Amino acid sequence: MQIKPDLTPILEHYGVNVIDKHGWVACKCFLHDDTHASAAYNLDMQLYNCLVCQILGDSIELVKRMERLEFKDAKRKAEAIANGSNRKVLQRNHT
């Protein structure tokens, strides 16, 4: 399983004041000139959603859209922004 860069440092990099809270948290979208909170993020699911931009994505997708990069370059940049803060997912062994 591939581990993606944590969403929190990506959001902070683009100016979102991240609130560490469960569920969806409303925020202004940094992908367009937002005057109202038309976007939301979910740190538990590691997803970002903007109703105006019609984007639902993870940390790599956000960097890809914001920087207009191809996937591999966006992944590299997201990893650099996150600076090694990848959140590891533990898998249980079924016995």
Side-chain angles (χ1 to χ4, degrees):
M1 173 182 251
Q2 188 174 6
I3 299 171
K4 296 181 181 179
D6 187 38
L7 185 62
T8 301
I10 304 301
L11 293 173
E12 290 173 341
H13 177 79
Y14 293 117
V16 176
N17 183 22
V18 177
I19 300 168
D20 190 11
K21 179 175 155 179
H22 294 291
W24 289 97
V25 178
C27 65
K28 290 182 181 177
C29 180
F30 55 84
L31 295 166
H32 71 274
D33 189 22
D34 203 357
T35 56
H36 297 86
S38 63
Y41 59 87
N42 187 315
L43 299 179
D44 297 322
M45 297 172 68
Q46 291 290 296
L47 291 174
Y48 179 84
N49 185 32
C50 178
L51 300 174
V52 174
C53 295
Q54 297 183 347
I55 179 177
L56 173 64
D58 58 20
S59 58
I60 297 170
E61 181 63 26
L62 290 180
V63 172
K64 182 179 166 192
R65 291 277 187 108
M66 189 67 180
E67 306 291 336
R68 298 180 182 164
L69 297 171
E70 295 295 323
F71 178 83
K72 71 176 187 173
D73 295 326
K75 181 177 183 281
R76 207 169 311 146
K77 177 145 183 143
E79 289 168 346
I81 293 169
N83 196 20
S85 68
N86 295 347
R87 188 179 292 178
K88 295 192 177 190
V89 177
L90 300 176
Q91 295 181 344
R92 294 184 182 172
N93 292 332
H94 296 285
T95 56

